[in-house]
Structures are given as structure tokens and as C-alpha cells.
């Protein structure tokens, strides 16, 4: 048995190609997991359960079927879907996790986080993060009329895209000192996160002790990956391999 992790799917609706890939994964390989963790930015934008649940009915149903089948699953809010609330949790059966959270993975304490809190060189994002992680701020935003929230979300996405275009790539990556400090503070030698869209595994020096940081892959048109952790370590699995295997052979070949 292995624990599964996904993050940064940025689903825009049930017609999204990655929504179909996710549904197939939840109905297939995920059923063999001892648990599934979704570490943020599952959705490209979430304007509140009242406005966004209807746009993602098939995805919500796929998670509900997974949890009804007995697979424990948890969701951690990201910077894109920070407004996910109780109605989403009830509809899917997903448990909402604090960011960060320490879990024991097959005998190894592991720090889980969406990851944007470690990108401390991006001062503009940290200012936004201070707002969206404040429950009182989220509550005020969700009292805004739905039509206005939709408009705010569209404008926020445009500003975010423009801001990223002006930022140096290193600013949007994890700050090494912030990462080490977080791992020391929580007493762990292993960290798993998403957000940066830079899937890789890194060695971390914790005052002479060997540590590790594992970055979950974001999903794209040409990339859909699940990270698994078992007693042997951390592994990556491409869902596209299985997708290609299901396709019929080329009639000409």
C-alpha cells in the first residue's frame, strides 16, 4: 500500500482534459491507495462553494465515489482555491487540512504544505497569502455577491499573469532558508509540496543530517503525474503512460 499525492491540476471545469484524467485516476489507481492527499490548486479558481461547485460536479462526484469506497482523502487549500469550504468537503468526503501539516508516512514524519508559504522572496505573493489564509478575510470575501466575485476573480487572474511575467523565476521558487527553517521547526527530515510547478526531488542539509524535499508535478496537457510514498521511499507515476496504453494501436502500424 502507498500514500498518493497530487497538486496543481488547475481544473477550469468538468470539460477540462485533466478533469477527465483525474476522474479516471480516482476510479482506478487511487482505489488502491491507503490515502490520497491533494495539496492545493486543484482548481484554477474557486470563488466559493456556492459559485464553483456547479462548474465541477463531475470532479466532486468522482471524489465522493472514492471516499465512499473507503479511501481516506484530504484536501489542503492552495492560493487558487483558498475559498474551498464546508459544502465542498461534505460533497466530496475530503477532509480539509491545515497548511502546513505533519503526517507519518510509513514511519517517516513528513511535512506537507501547498508550498507558496516557502516562496518568501516573492513579497507581493506573501502579502496576498497573508490575506487569503485569514479566515476572517475569506469570510468577508464570500459575503460579496456572486456576480462580483466572478468579476474579481477574472481581474485577479489577469493581474497575476501580468505580475508573473515581470518576476524573475528564482523569486517564485522556494527560499532555501525558509524551507530549512520550516523543516527544523516541525522536526522533520522530509518535505512534500506543490505550487512551484518544478517537479523534482532535492537533497536538503539539516545541520549535517540528510533531508529531502519532493516537489509534486503540476498537471498540463502533456503531463499528469501522481507521487506515491511507501516504505521504500518516494515514487512518481505518469498517468499518461496508462492513457496511451488504453489507446487502440495505429491501424497503419
Amino acid at each position: 500500500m502507498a500514500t498518493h499525492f497530487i497538486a496543481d491540476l488547475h481544473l477550469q471545469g468538468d470539460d477540462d482534459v485533466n478533469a477527465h484524467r483525474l476522474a479516471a485516476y480516482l476510479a482506478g489507481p487511487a482505489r488502491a491507495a491507503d490515502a490520497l492527499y491533494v495539496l492545493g490548486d486543484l482548481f484554477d479558481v474557486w470563488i466559493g462553494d456556492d459559485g464553483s461547485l456547479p462548474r465541477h460536479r463531475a470532479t466532486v462526484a468522482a471524489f465522493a465515489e472514492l471516499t465512499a469506497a473507503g479511501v481516506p482523502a484530504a484536501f489542503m487549500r492552495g492560493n487558487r482555491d483558498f475559498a474551498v469550504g464546508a459544502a465542498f468537503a461534505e460533497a466530496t468526503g475530503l477532509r480539509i487540512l491545515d497548511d502546513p501539516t505533519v503526517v507519518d508516512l510509513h514511519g517517516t514524519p513528513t511535512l506537507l504544505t501547498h508550498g507558496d508559504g516557502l516562496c518568501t522572496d516573492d513579497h507581493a505573493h506573501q502579502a496576498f497569502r497573508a490575506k487569503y489564509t485569514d479566515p476572517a478575510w475569506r469570510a468577508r470575501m464570500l459575503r460579496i455577491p456572486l456576480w462580483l466575485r466572478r468579476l474579481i476573480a477574472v481581474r485577479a487572474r489577469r493581474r497575476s499573469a501580468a505580475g508573473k511575467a515581470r518576476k524573475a523565476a528564482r523569486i517564485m521558487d522556494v527560499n532555501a532558508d525558509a524551507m530549512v527553517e520550516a523543516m527544523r521547526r516541525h522536526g522533520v527530515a522530509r518535505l512534500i509540496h506543490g505550487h512551484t510547478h518544478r517537479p523534482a526531488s532535492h537533497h536538503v542539509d539539516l545541520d549535517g543530517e540528510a533531508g529531502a524535499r519532493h516537489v509534486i508535478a503540476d498537471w498540463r496537457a502533456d503531463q499528469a503525474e501522481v507521487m506515491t510514498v511507501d516504505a521504500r521511499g518516494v515514487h512518481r507515476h505518469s498517468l499518461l503512460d496508462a492513457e496511451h496504453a488504453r489507446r487502440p494501436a495505429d491501424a497503419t502500424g
Side-chain angles (χ1 to χ4, degrees):
M1 297 288 284
T3 306
H4 290 206
F5 293 88
I6 58 174
D8 299 289
L9 278 65
H10 295 272
L11 302 180
Q12 298 185 19
D14 283 335
D15 56 348
D16 191 319
V17 63
N18 280 325
H20 297 295
R21 287 170 174 160
L22 175 64
Y25 159 70
L26 294 175
R31 299 298 175 96
D34 59 17
L36 168 64
Y37 290 90
V38 184
L39 297 190
D41 287 1
L42 174 63
F43 305 103
D44 197 53
V45 64
W46 193 269
I47 61 174
D49 292 352
D50 53 345
S52 292
L53 276 171
R55 190 175 180 83
H56 299 277
R57 292 188 190 278
T59 294
V60 168
F63 275 110
E65 290 170 7
L66 176 76
T67 56
V71 179
F75 173 83
M76 182 178 286
R77 296 181 179 94
N79 53 289
R80 298 287 190 91
D81 45 24
F82 61 83
V84 160
F88 171 84
E90 182 177 358
T92 59
L94 291 169
R95 178 169 56 96
I96 304 296
L97 286 180
D98 290 335
D99 183 0
T101 289
V102 175
V103 298
D104 187 294
L105 295 178
H106 306 276
T108 301
T110 304
L111 181 63
L112 308 181
T113 179
H114 174 56
D116 61 328
L118 302 175
C119 301
T120 54
D121 294 322
D122 190 342
H123 302 300
H125 182 79
Q126 293 308 310
F128 169 61
R129 189 175 190 277
K131 293 179 180 179
Y132 88 70
T133 55
D134 179 0
W137 185 88
R138 290 202 302 268
R140 287 196 300 272
M141 290 296 293
L142 292 173
R143 287 196 293 269
I144 294 173
L146 193 54
W147 68 267
L148 184 53
R149 273 182 270 153
R150 289 194 179 100
L151 180 59
I152 291 171
V154 169
R155 291 179 174 176
R157 293 305 311 126
R158 289 174 181 167
R159 287 197 301 271
S160 176
K164 284 183 177 179
R166 294 191 298 267
K167 292 176 184 176
R170 63 173 181 79
I171 290 177
M172 295 182 285
D173 202 359
V174 166
N175 176 281
D177 292 337
M179 170 196 62
V180 170
E181 192 278 330
M183 295 177 72
R184 288 173 179 161
R185 183 170 71 252
H186 291 280
V188 302
R190 183 163 67 190
L191 166 68
I192 295 176
H193 71 85
H195 180 68
T196 63
H197 297 200
R198 299 180 181 189
S201 294
H202 307 270
H203 295 291
V204 179
D205 184 356
L206 299 169
D207 295 326
E209 179 184 357
R213 173 170 70 98
H214 302 280
V215 187
I216 304 170
D218 56 307
W219 286 28
R220 311 167 192 168
D222 60 348
Q223 175 175 284
E225 184 178 286
V226 176
M227 178 183 290
T228 66
V229 181
D230 58 22
R232 295 176 293 115
V234 177
H235 319 277
R236 299 175 185 271
H237 308 272
S238 171
L239 298 180
L240 300 191
D241 293 341
E243 184 176 289
H244 292 316
R246 288 195 299 271
R247 293 176 180 172
D250 187 338
T252 62

